[in-house]
Each structure stands twice: as structure tokens, then as C-alpha cells.
Amino acid sequence: MPAAQLAGVELDIRLLVDHRERLVRTRSALNNDVLWHLHDLWPELALPACALMTAKWTSRIGRRLARADQTARSHRP
């Protein structure tokens, strides 16, 4: 059987779709990391799933972080 290969516009579209999927996965991973760190800092803080995507919530989170003690946390393995 001959190998299936994309060429021309089809290849361009496939490459764009692949790139977009990588960006979405990266964004999701980063958002999950940030949400986990916020939960670690303030377990009582209930954030909606879209909290990091809206100006309303990012402003609130930013103000709360600005008021918080500026410390670095060390995680032990």
C-alpha cells in the first residue's frame, strides 16, 4: 500500500491544527498549575473554572496576591 501523505493546503492546515492543539494543551497545563498554586495558598478560595480567562477574576486574584505576604515556598520531594 502506498503511504498517505499530505501536500499543499492540506499539509498547511494539518500543521496549523497540530500547533493549535499544542498551544491549547500548554495553556491548560499552565492554568492548572496556577490554579493548584492558588489553592495551595488559599484552600478556602473557590474559583470558577474560567477564573484565569476573565479580567474580573484575574484582577481579583492579582489584588489578593499583591496583599499577600511575599514569600517563596520550598516543596520537598
Side-chain angles (χ1 to χ4, degrees), residues 5-6 14 16 20-21 31 42 50 54:
Q5 293 183 351
L6 297 175
R14 181 74 246 161
L16 286 171
R20 180 188 181 279
E21 289 173 355
N31 283 346
W42 304 299
C50 64
T54 64

Side-chain angles (χ1 to χ4, degrees), residues 16-70:
L16 286 171
V17 168
D18 289 347
H19 182 63
R20 180 188 181 279
E21 289 173 355
R22 278 191 302 277
L23 291 174
V24 169
R25 280 193 310 270
T26 301
R27 180 189 66 186
S28 296
L30 291 171
N31 283 346
N32 290 339
D33 287 348
V34 170
L35 287 173
W36 174 252
H37 288 297
L38 290 172
H39 174 72
D40 192 34
L41 287 170
W42 304 299
E44 75 285 356
L45 183 62
L47 295 171
C50 64
L52 299 178
M53 308 284 184
T54 64
K56 170 185 165 182
W57 280 102
T58 54
S59 296
R60 288 180 183 183
I61 294 168
R63 286 191 300 270
R64 188 164 182 164
L65 285 169
R67 289 190 311 267
D69 292 336
Q70 301 298 309

